[in-house]
Amino acid sequence: MRKKWIMPAIAAVLMLFSTASAAEKLTLMLDWFPNVDHLPIYVARDRGLFEMAGIDVRIVSPSETADALKLAVSGQVDLAVSYQPQTVIAAAEGMDVIAVGRLIEHPLTTLLFLKGKGIEAPPDLSGKRIGYTVPGLMDVMLHAFASLNGVRDYTSVNVGFAVLQSLAAGRVDAVMGPFKTYETVEMAHRGYDVGYFELEKYGIPDYDELIFVCSRNTLNLKEKAVKGFIRAVDVAIGQVRSNPERAFQEYLKAVPEANPETEADAFRLTLPYFAANQNHDPLRWQAFADFALQYKLIGKPVNGASLLRNFDE
């Protein structure tokens, strides 16, 4: 199994040396607490791919769910794991943000609920209390979902990281934002029978769930380092696909607080969604930006292509 990834990795790593000539520090803020969605990042770090690219990457977690993109835009961190919809919304609000790479290439977000509560179709959420995880993103996505699917007179509640606690305690009837590959597994492992509505099956266009963003100023100042980071992650994703079990064991060492059983099931579901390449699709970004304008997620048009940097072009 080792030979399947060693030779491609060597070739890719040699390419990395040409992108960042001197060691440079980068701080990456995750979108959430560390979980298997971020596994390729830890593989890139712990296999020395960042080091080979001439960069020293510090990985930090946000204290609030909306922090990462804002801190990247302000330059308080160099890079952030964010979401394509959040980036479009931020751009419409005048934030100087640019997407430089991809981690998860299709939607994972759901509207999650406990079964046995009379929720079978979206209109059943009318009049309910619905939580959301990321202010400025998931509350806006909830508005679009509700408009598309006949959900009326609901009350929205910011639950932040407390998805399971809020549902289990009955503080909310559903939550917009949990991933179908993670929170569904976590709740099942804790004995909860959950259902969910997948956004892309209820009128929301396809989009990149998790991306890497930074400010244009950071990109101008640290372009070689950012490029090296993105290419190292791309190599790591290829290695993860080649030997998932080895990569998962390395992740457990890197994130010892992770629950092995829950994360193993989540990883199996997540693996097919890791980005096949690092090239953003301008047409897909524009389609989402146009949808966002139509359903009032944003207040003015956004040029999707202007938010993208593809290093392989």
Side-chain angles (χ1 to χ4, degrees):
M1 293 297 291
R2 289 173 61 87
K3 292 182 179 178
K4 289 185 179 181
W5 66 265
I6 288 176
M7 293 309 295
I10 290 174
V13 165
L14 289 174
M15 181 178 66
L16 293 177
F17 279 112
S18 66
T19 66
S21 57
E24 187 163 7
K25 294 184 182 298
L26 289 178
T27 299
L28 169 72
M29 177 165 280
L30 304 177
D31 61 304
W32 203 254
F33 57 83
N35 59 72
V36 290
D37 299 332
H38 312 123
L39 185 146
I41 301 170
Y42 289 99
V43 167
R45 184 193 68 182
D46 294 342
R47 292 189 182 179
L49 298 178
F50 291 146
E51 183 180 3
M52 293 176 189
I55 51 179
D56 177 11
V57 178
R58 184 169 70 100
I59 303 170
V60 297
S61 299
S63 57
E64 298 289 342
T65 54
D67 281 353
L69 182 143
K70 293 178 181 178
L71 293 177
V73 169
S74 67
Q76 295 181 64
V77 298
D78 298 304
L79 291 162
V81 177
S82 189
Y83 315 86
Q84 180 179 329
Q86 187 180 35
T87 303
V88 170
I89 293 168
E93 293 174 351
M95 295 188 192
D96 185 25
V97 62
I98 187 162
V100 293
R102 309 192 304 157
L103 186 57
I104 300 288
E105 66 180 7
H106 293 292
L108 301 181
T109 295
T110 67
L111 208 169
L112 183 72
F113 53 89
L114 295 178
K115 288 186 177 181
K117 302 290 186 178
I119 302 171
E120 302 292 338
D124 296 332
L125 291 166
S126 295
K128 305 287 190 182
R129 289 172 61 83
I130 306 177
Y132 59 88
T133 57
V134 182
L137 171 60
M138 291 307 173
D139 51 338
V140 181
M141 295 290 278
L142 174 57
H143 171 74
F145 181 93
S147 299
L148 284 162
N149 294 286
V151 182
R152 312 294 182 198
D153 302 322
Y154 64 92
T155 300
S156 59
V157 180
N158 180 6
V159 301
F161 294 114
V163 174
L164 186 152
Q165 299 92 321
S166 298
L167 281 171
R171 290 194 290 270
V172 296
D173 300 287
V175 178
M176 173 63 80
F179 283 2
K180 61 189 174 187
T181 54
Y182 196 86
E183 280 82 3
T184 57
V185 173
E186 182 183 28
M187 294 193 72
H189 274 257
R190 298 193 185 194
Y192 295 97
D193 190 13
V194 299
Y196 55 88
F197 302 124
E198 296 172 274
L199 302 194
E200 69 275 21
K201 294 181 180 179
Y202 288 88
I204 308 294
D206 188 25
Y207 61 86
D208 290 321
E209 185 67 69
L210 293 181
I211 60 174
F212 298 104
V213 301
C214 65
S215 69
R216 293 180 189 275
N217 185 56
T218 295
L219 185 60
N220 289 336
L221 293 174
K222 299 186 175 184
E223 181 172 349
K224 288 185 177 181
V226 172
K227 184 175 182 179
F229 172 88
I230 297 303
R231 288 188 168 177
V233 170
D234 193 43
V235 171
I237 291 174
Q239 294 182 359
V240 170
R241 290 190 191 281
S242 296
N243 193 334
E245 182 56 34
R246 180 170 186 250
F248 180 67
Q249 293 304 319
E250 292 175 356
Y251 164 78
L252 291 180
K253 291 180 181 178
V255 186
E257 65 271 24
N259 181 298
E261 291 78 19
T262 298
E263 300 269 314
D265 287 347
F267 177 54
R268 281 191 288 270
L269 294 176
T270 305
L271 184 60
Y273 290 96
F274 287 126
N277 57 62
Q278 292 300 308
N279 293 322
H280 299 284
D281 182 349
L283 295 179
R284 194 162 70 142
W285 274 72
Q286 192 59 54
F288 190 91
D290 293 344
F291 165 85
L293 183 65
Q294 179 182 354
Y295 285 92
K296 298 181 172 55
L297 279 71
I298 56 178
K300 64 179 183 180
V302 167
N303 181 344
S306 70
L307 306 180
L308 310 178
R309 178 58 186 274
N310 288 331
F311 290 109
D312 291 337
E313 292 180 345

